[in-house]
Amino acid sequence: MKSLDPLSDPTLVQWVLGFLLVHNNATASSMSLTAKDVSVVKGFWGKIASKADDIGAEAFGSPGSAQVKKHAKVIMSAVADAVAKIDDLPSAMSQLSEVHAYKLRVDPANFKILAHNIIVAAAMYFPADFTPEVHVSLDKFLQNLAWCLAERYR
């Protein structure tokens, strides 16, 4: 088996450098979504919406399981709703936060893990559209979404 040298792939190197440039311009302490982030997330979601269920199943790690696919569809529908209500996430996610905290008792750390997995799956399905700018904006959005879902745990 041939070993891979990531530095020999100019596309990968360009992507990493672009990501670092964009990421360094976005301060780590500021996770608020800018108007540009909102625009980027909405635009990217418009491109990936038709594959959202597949991305969700992949993010859960078991695309072949009918039970996982069903749950992924529910989750990705909630993410689509969050994208539609991106300007007021805390209010839009308030009821879901309460259900997850008091009824389902989901460990809130799972929201961040799932957010990361959605990013990875979206990048796998849409590599040409997954630019460093999209990566940073989508990450900020999903981390804000995770924070809103964990709000009732506080």
Side-chain angles (χ1 to χ4, degrees):
M1 183 164 145
K2 183 180 175 184
S3 66
L4 297 175
D5 177 11
L7 295 178
S8 67
D9 182 352
T11 305
L12 179 61
V13 171
Q14 181 182 6
W15 184 90
V16 169
L17 291 174
F19 173 78
L20 291 173
L21 178 66
V22 171
H23 186 67
N24 285 337
N25 287 336
T27 62
S29 63
S30 171
M31 288 301 285
S32 60
L33 296 170
T34 65
K36 181 72 173 169
D37 291 325
V38 170
S39 174
V40 169
V41 169
K42 285 183 174 183
F44 185 65
W45 192 264
K47 291 178 183 180
I48 71 170
S50 65
K51 290 286 188 186
D53 294 348
D54 295 333
I55 291 168
E58 188 71 43
F60 272 91
S62 183
S65 164
Q67 197 171 15
V68 169
K69 281 183 178 180
K70 182 179 176 185
H71 188 60
K73 187 173 184 172
V74 170
I75 298 298
M76 295 307 280
S77 175
V79 174
D81 187 45
V83 170
K85 298 173 181 172
I86 197 169
D87 293 320
D88 191 15
L89 280 178
S91 210
M93 296 296 114
S94 178
Q95 186 177 3
L96 271 180
S97 177
E98 193 162 315
V99 168
H100 282 82
Y102 300 122
K103 184 178 179 186
L104 301 174
R105 298 181 187 263
V106 174
D107 181 345
N110 289 324
F111 301 140
K112 289 183 178 186
I113 294 167
L114 183 58
H116 171 76
N117 291 353
I118 290 171
I119 289 170
V120 171
M124 288 171 42
Y125 276 82
F126 293 88
D129 297 306
F130 198 79
T131 64
E133 183 179 50
V134 166
H135 187 169
V136 169
S137 294
L138 186 61
D139 184 35
K140 285 171 64 176
F141 163 70
L142 290 172
Q143 292 308 316
N144 275 298
L145 179 56
W147 183 85
C148 289
L149 288 172
E151 182 60 26
R152 294 286 192 232
Y153 293 83
R154 301 181 218 297

